[in-house]
Amino acid sequence: MNKLIKSGAAIVAAMAFAGCCCSESKTDGACGADVCSKEQAVVETIMTRRSVRDYKSEPVDREQMAKIIECGIYAPSAMNMQPWAVRVVDAPDFLDGVTAIAVEQMPQLKEQEGFRNFFRNAPTVAFVACPEESYSGEYDCGLLSENMMLAAWSMGIGSCCLGSVVPVMTSEAAKPYLERLNFPEGYKLMVGIAFGYPAGDTPEAPARDASKAYYVE
Ligand SMILES: Cc1cc2nc3c(=O)[nH]c(=O)nc-3n(C[C@H](O)[C@H](O)[C@H](O)COP(=O)(O)O)c2cc1C
């Protein structure tokens, strides 16, 4: 037990260290400054990314969004099957139409401070779907989604994974919107991802439970 606690503590210490600078072993010898700054950039992006829940109304620039999607599809997938389907929407009539349906189903949404739309006020939303039957489609879609969110954050674009859009988008009332996404036959909607330029301060990181990961000796 003691060993487990010690290993857990070592991982936490490593996590904290990784967040501030390059590890000693990489600053001398084979790895040069380039490796160090790449490590810093990746670690900083991962550690500072937060779910953003308030956005400016301007949609994400489509060239930037293309880069974000490209980063998504460069995620690993089992046997490189790339089992995802991604649809990006920045059409106000679509987002407002789904919002109206969501409000009808959950009138309390309107009571949220500053409520403008059901997608945490995002002007651009990516819908991610995967095959209903697949080897590891859900896992692969998760990797794609995180790649997109990290790429966005590195470009100053906020994001928020939204599982809550699934029951609304798959409800009878939203059928025309789901059909507009034109997912291949046999695909199911996994998640919506809000994207946009953040309107406020970056939220604090919710606490993480470091005891969930440790070395086994
Ligand atoms: C699969 C998934 C579904 C989520 N669904 C929602 C959601 O419906 N609404 C929301 O505001 N945040 C949602 N989140 C965001 C989480 O609440 C958030 O990632 C978590 O609290 C950690 O905060 P952080 O992303 O700022 O580190 C979802 C995240 C994931 C991975």
Side-chain angles (χ1 to χ4, degrees), residues 7 13 19-20 24 26 30 33 64 78 88 105 107-108 110 117 125 142-143 154-155 168 176 178 189 206:
S7 302
C20 63
E24 287 264 329
K26 288 201 174 160
Q64 288 185 302
V88 183
Q105 294 174 1
Q108 70 277 15
K110 282 220 136 175
N117 85 18
V125 179
L143 294 171
S154 76
M155 295 157 69
V168 173
L178 192 63
L189 178 64

Side-chain angles (χ1 to χ4, degrees), residues 31-52:
C31 302
D34 270 5
V35 174
C36 183
S37 61
K38 266 188 210 160
E39 176 184 328
Q40 279 180 319
V42 172
V43 171
E44 192 182 320
T45 302
I46 291 170
M47 297 303 282
T48 61
R49 180 214 57 82
R50 296 276 69 79
S51 291
V52 172

Side-chain angles (χ1 to χ4, degrees), residues 8 57 65 76 99 108 139 158 161-162 217:
S57 52
M65 209 58 215
T99 297
Q108 70 277 15
Y139 194 94
C161 216
L162 297 173
E217 304 293 358

Side-chain angles (χ1 to χ4, degrees), residues 1 8 25 31 102 122-123 138 152-153 183 191 199:
M1 183 63 174
S25 60
C31 302
E138 296 190 8
W153 191 246
F183 285 126
V191 83

Side-chain angles (χ1 to χ4, degrees), residues 97-98 100-102 104-105 167-178:
V98 175
I101 293 167
E104 198 150 302
Q105 294 174 1
V168 173
M169 283 296 294
T170 52
S171 68
E172 192 56 32
K175 212 172 168 190
Y177 295 97
L178 192 63

Side-chain angles (χ1 to χ4, degrees), residues 139-157:
Y139 194 94
D140 297 336
C141 282
L143 294 171
L144 161 119
S145 301
E146 177 69 338
N147 261 22
M148 289 173 71
M149 293 189 285
L150 289 174
W153 191 246
S154 76
M155 295 157 69
I157 295 165

